[in-house]
């Protein structure tokens, strides 16, 4: 609520850290919030570590998987983005979110196909120009 509704990033971070202090054993939501606050602060590596902790804490935490999709998409790792989106879809039970995740999967699959086509085209161009 502090993060999404009131846009209070420091407060959200403090609540999430305190939540993890109280319950470090099973708290994927707190890890996810920490990931969101780190992303907001521009710490993409820290965000990835937090999101990975969320899904390690609960492999069925769809929002952690979805955020990992967003992160890998941003980094241009479309195969990993597609994998994370599919994990999110497999674990989501909300019809509204399911539509969003399906769109993410289509997006990642399309970007991956473009990346693969570019790689093939560059490989062929390099082979055509090689002195062999």
């Amino acid at each position: 609520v502090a993060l999404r509704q009131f846009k209070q990033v420091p407060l959200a971070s403090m609540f999430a850290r305190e939540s993890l202090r109280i319950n470090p054993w099973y708290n994927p939501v707190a890890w996810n919030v920490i990931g969101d606050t780190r992303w907001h602060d521009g710490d993409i590596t820290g965000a990835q570590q937090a999101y990975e902790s969320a899904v390690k804490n609960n492999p069925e935490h769809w929002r952690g998987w979805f955020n990992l999709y967003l992160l890998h998409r941003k980094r241009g790792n479309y195969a990993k983005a597609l994998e994370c989106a599919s994990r999110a879809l497999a674990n989501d039970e909300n019809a509204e979110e399911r539509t969003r995740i399906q769109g993410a999967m289509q997006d990642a699959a399309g970007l991956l196909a473009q990346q693969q086509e570019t790689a093939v085209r560059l490989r062929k161009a390099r082979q055509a120009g090689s002195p062999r």
Side-chain angles (χ1 to χ4, degrees):
V1 171
L3 180 63
R4 287 183 178 73
Q5 191 171 1
F6 297 115
K7 308 295 186 220
Q8 295 293 321
V9 176
L11 185 61
S13 180
M14 186 269 307
F15 281 141
R17 285 193 317 273
E18 183 63 14
S19 179
L20 284 170
R21 186 190 66 74
I22 293 167
N23 181 3
W25 305 280
Y26 183 81
N27 209 331
V29 173
W31 280 116
N32 197 65
V33 170
I34 289 173
D36 289 349
T37 60
R38 288 180 178 169
W39 185 309
H40 180 271
D41 291 340
D43 179 9
I44 303 303
T45 300
Q48 180 175 352
Q49 291 168 347
Y51 295 142
E52 287 173 349
S53 292
V55 298
K56 181 179 179 187
N57 209 242
N58 178 4
E60 297 177 359
H61 186 64
W62 75 268
R63 191 173 295 278
W65 287 115
F66 188 77
N67 285 330
L68 282 168
Y69 148 77
L70 293 170
L71 188 139
H72 288 297
R73 186 190 187 285
K74 179 177 180 66
R75 288 186 165 170
N77 186 349
Y78 304 126
K80 191 70 175 171
L82 181 58
E83 176 188 335
C84 291
S86 69
R87 296 287 300 264
L89 184 63
N91 292 296
D92 177 52
E93 296 176 3
N94 181 320
E96 185 176 311
E97 293 296 342
R98 183 168 290 276
T99 301
R100 180 175 169 211
I101 297 169
Q102 288 170 333
M105 287 186 65
Q106 291 172 346
D107 172 65
L111 291 168
L112 180 59
Q114 289 175 1
Q115 191 177 51
Q116 290 170 333
E117 289 169 10
T118 300
V120 167
R121 191 172 56 253
L122 291 172
R123 192 175 314 111
K124 286 181 181 178
R126 189 174 53 245
Q127 289 171 347
S130 69
R132 292 189 222 187

